[in-house]
Amino acid sequence: MSLQYSKLTPATPPEADFPPPGTPDIEIARSVQPQSILLLAQQRFGLPGESLVPFGHYKAKLDMAYVDTSDSAPRGKLVLVTAITPTPAGEGKTTTSVGLNDGFNRLGVRSSVCLREPSLGPCFGMKGGAAGGGRAQVIPMEDINLHFNGDFHAITTAHNLLASLIDNHIHWGNETGLDPRYVSWRRVMDLTDRSLRNMVCGLGGAAHGVPRETGFDITVSSEIMAILCLADGRADLKQRLGNIIIGRRSDMTPVTVRDLGVEGSLTVLLKEALQPNLVQSLEHNPVFIHGGPFANIAHGCNSVTATRAALALNDVVVTEAGFGADLGAEKFIDIKCRQTGLRPDAAVVVCTIRALKMQGGVPRSQLSVPDLAALRAGAANLERHVRNLQQFGLTPVVCINRFPDDTEEEMSLVQSISESLGVRAVPADHWAMGGEGATELAQAVLDQMDEGTPEVNFLYEDGLPLADKIRTIATRIYHAGSVEFTTVAKRQLEEYESLGFGHLPVCIAKTQYSFSADSSVKGAPSGHMLPVREVRLAAGAGFVVAVCGDIMTMPGLPRHPAALDIALDENGLVVGLT
């Protein structure tokens, strides 16, 4: 039976004089006049003006009191967008998520897309912004990429308030018996700065605190970021914050935020941040952007609150999971879905001809040259991701995000390879054409959902020991031949099991650029060793993080950071932001 949905009048493109292809994204974004966010919410969702807390005219927070997310309320279909292993050539997962949503709306399907918020670290560092690209963007682009509605600042402040309260507690007598040598709570900032990874605080004498080793991580790796994205309302937020383990006593028993009695103050700082943010695409379709954990060091999904709100207000919801399917999609299912009861009704794997050729060994300077042999070799990466999703019970649609240099022979080869895997591959031109270029993709996803609701499976059971959960992901998703735990990691796993946390899912922190822990290894390697150097307990978020290889929770800046190219022009407009 065909999918039932509320038929809209098919969307028409906004009145805009779009610049030619190749124009910087920020100029394309400025060529469209945004619609009032209050008007958009009323027209698309029937929400009254008082349900929104506006941040200016074009972005707002949604008061969840106006949205029925109960189990008995209607719920839309959830489409998960993921991708092949990322390369410098670009795959376009966020761009595809935005374009697919515009494509659904062009077909008359009531749809929204749920995305993560960009971090200032990548914006001024290596990656740039995260609001889509070309004609498939979210606006206002500058605001979304720079500070947005203050959520990251609230999370940073709450995290560092806790760090301050910990050191203050030790200074004034330390009633909990927290051993300064075993404080595990570090500080965070929403920038990349390798010089702050390791430091000593409390220097200068007794009046300035107790000296101890500590350091900084980037805000997106904060457990409070993960908690905000997984919390199901204020009460759950406070409960999870109280469960955070901040360190150990000398007998190695844990000390929690609840022991300090400060979960209430942390909740107060996050009460507005918990509300999802509503903005719009270039085609004036609703977009929820909320939360921003990275998938290479955290669980890589937007907030449960935003996802639930979108599902309550739409017939179809598009959401993305960070980086490749080995990191993002696995964590989406094994962590987010496990904790919340959410399940994807369909999946999309994004690839590009250029990226597949790069996976096949072609240097970046030669990617515009047709090379069917390299494409066929690099398609092993696509095959691995498709097979992995099939392990979860999903039959994905492959989106070939088209570039101008792609040839029909190359497109046909990827489609043929996909067909041999039992999946459909659809070229899409949303970057150049917006929603119009994604209607075939949108229809393919609707057709896939017409096949029936998939039975989504977790990769492992809750009762499996933590080390075996890590091995399961390593061997079945990364196709590793073995896992090597350091002595420290082994001791930590034993400790967490003894404390009663062995039932938690695991979150692998590793390079996003390879199935292995070596970022230089492309394609679909097998038989490699996954090195686990330490394991961190995120008791409030509800998972255990296995830190692998040389991955850092505080990234560094590249030789030429994006910050060198960002400025204001003579009219006060931002330039250089991508």
Side-chain angles (χ1 to χ4, degrees), residues 326-572:
D326 57 321
L327 291 176
E330 186 274 318
K331 294 171 183 177
F332 180 89
I333 294 171
D334 279 327
I335 296 177
K336 183 171 180 175
C337 291
R338 189 188 298 264
Q339 289 197 20
T340 63
L342 295 168
R343 300 290 186 274
D345 296 285
V348 175
V349 178
V350 182
C351 70
T352 62
I353 301 295
R354 295 164 58 86
L356 290 175
K357 286 191 288 190
M358 201 167 196
Q359 291 291 344
V362 176
R364 190 174 184 179
S365 60
Q366 299 296 314
L367 292 176
S368 60
V369 179
D371 190 334
L372 294 180
L375 179 60
R376 186 176 289 105
N381 187 272
L382 172 62
E383 178 180 355
R384 173 74 59 80
H385 287 293
V386 169
R387 295 295 192 200
N388 283 346
L389 287 170
Q390 289 171 336
Q391 287 191 72
F392 291 108
L394 293 167
T395 302
V397 175
V398 173
C399 168
I400 309 173
N401 185 12
R402 195 195 303 265
F403 274 66
D405 293 328
D406 298 340
T407 68
E408 290 303 318
E409 291 80 8
E410 291 172 320
M411 285 284 176
S412 296
L413 177 58
V414 175
Q415 288 178 305
S416 176
I417 292 171
S418 300
E419 185 177 345
S420 71
L421 301 173
V423 299
R424 180 180 174 186
V426 181
D429 294 288
H430 42 279
W431 181 86
M433 301 172 62
E436 182 183 355
T439 53
E440 183 182 356
L441 175 63
Q443 187 59 59
V445 176
L446 292 176
D447 292 343
Q448 183 61 46
M449 288 192 286
D450 278 344
E451 297 294 321
T453 302
E455 185 175 340
V456 177
N457 310 304
F458 300 133
L459 200 62
Y460 50 81
E461 299 295 330
D462 292 344
L464 198 67
L466 291 171
D468 289 340
K469 291 173 182 174
I470 295 170
R471 289 190 185 96
T472 299
I473 298 172
T475 56
R476 292 182 58 185
I477 300 297
Y478 309 150
H479 284 234
S482 62
V483 178
E484 186 174 291
F485 298 95
T486 63
T487 301
V488 170
K490 290 178 182 177
R491 185 181 71 246
Q492 291 166 330
L493 287 169
E494 291 172 359
E495 178 186 357
Y496 303 155
E497 296 271 4
S498 68
L499 290 172
F501 295 104
H503 66 285
L504 295 181
V506 293
C507 176
I508 307 293
K510 63 175 286 293
T511 178
Q512 67 272 32
Y513 296 119
S514 175
F515 279 107
S516 74
D518 182 349
S519 61
S520 67
V521 179
K522 305 301 182 187
S526 297
H528 50 278
M529 183 271 291
L530 181 72
V532 179
R533 75 171 193 261
E534 66 171 304
V535 185
R536 301 178 183 178
L537 174 60
F543 54 75
V544 172
V545 181
V547 184
C548 303
D550 59 0
I551 191 72
M552 294 291 174
T553 49
M554 169 54 87
L557 291 168
R559 182 179 296 274
H560 188 98
L564 299 179
D565 304 316
I566 297 173
L568 294 177
D569 67 13
E570 62 276 9
N571 298 313

Side-chain angles (χ1 to χ4, degrees), residues 292-348:
F294 287 172
N296 60 345
I297 53 178
H299 73 287
C301 306
N302 72 283
S303 76
V304 171
T305 307
T307 305
R308 290 201 190 283
L311 287 169
L313 295 168
N314 293 277
D315 295 303
V316 173
V317 172
V318 179
T319 190
E320 69 170 8
F323 294 123
D326 57 321
L327 291 176
E330 186 274 318
K331 294 171 183 177
F332 180 89
I333 294 171
D334 279 327
I335 296 177
K336 183 171 180 175
C337 291
R338 189 188 298 264
Q339 289 197 20
T340 63
L342 295 168
R343 300 290 186 274
D345 296 285
V348 175

Side-chain angles (χ1 to χ4, degrees), residues 94 100 112 117 120 125 136 141 160 164 177 220 222 231 262 325 375 440 572:
T94 300
L100 175 59
S112 291
E117 300 179 45
L120 291 177
M141 185 262 220
N160 291 336
S164 175
V220 291
S222 167
V262 299
L375 179 60
E440 183 182 356

Side-chain angles (χ1 to χ4, degrees), residues 170-365:
I170 295 171
H171 177 77
W172 290 108
N174 196 4
E175 291 180 9
T176 65
L178 177 62
D179 191 324
R181 297 171 300 173
Y182 301 133
V183 174
S184 54
W185 194 256
R186 293 154 59 89
R187 287 166 168 81
V188 298
M189 62 189 299
D190 189 33
L191 293 171
T192 54
D193 189 345
R194 63 174 57 86
S195 64
L196 294 178
R197 288 172 181 162
N198 300 286
M199 56 183 291
V200 176
C201 67
L203 299 178
H208 303 287
V210 176
R212 64 180 182 87
E213 290 187 50
T214 184
F216 275 77
D217 296 320
I218 192 168
T219 296
V220 291
S221 71
S222 167
E223 185 176 355
I224 292 181
M225 172 68 81
I227 286 172
L228 184 91
C229 289
L230 290 168
D232 203 354
R234 290 194 192 99
D236 187 38
L237 175 67
K238 183 178 179 182
Q239 177 72 19
R240 287 174 177 267
L241 290 169
N243 291 341
I244 293 173
I245 293 176
I246 59 172
R248 304 288 194 276
R249 300 177 180 88
S250 57
D251 62 1
M252 300 310 293
T253 55
V255 179
T256 68
V257 167
R258 191 170 292 107
D259 292 330
L260 263 61
V262 299
E263 67 269 28
S265 60
L266 302 183
T267 306
V268 167
L269 284 175
L270 298 169
K271 66 184 182 71
E272 277 83 26
L274 185 61
Q275 298 173 322
N277 307 293
L278 181 64
V279 284
Q280 62 194 283
S281 70
L282 291 177
E283 298 191 6
H284 305 321
N285 293 314
V287 178
F288 290 86
I289 300 185
H290 195 214
F294 287 172
N296 60 345
I297 53 178
H299 73 287
C301 306
N302 72 283
S303 76
V304 171
T305 307
T307 305
R308 290 201 190 283
L311 287 169
L313 295 168
N314 293 277
D315 295 303
V316 173
V317 172
V318 179
T319 190
E320 69 170 8
F323 294 123
D326 57 321
L327 291 176
E330 186 274 318
K331 294 171 183 177
F332 180 89
I333 294 171
D334 279 327
I335 296 177
K336 183 171 180 175
C337 291
R338 189 188 298 264
Q339 289 197 20
T340 63
L342 295 168
R343 300 290 186 274
D345 296 285
V348 175
V349 178
V350 182
C351 70
T352 62
I353 301 295
R354 295 164 58 86
L356 290 175
K357 286 191 288 190
M358 201 167 196
Q359 291 291 344
V362 176
R364 190 174 184 179
S365 60

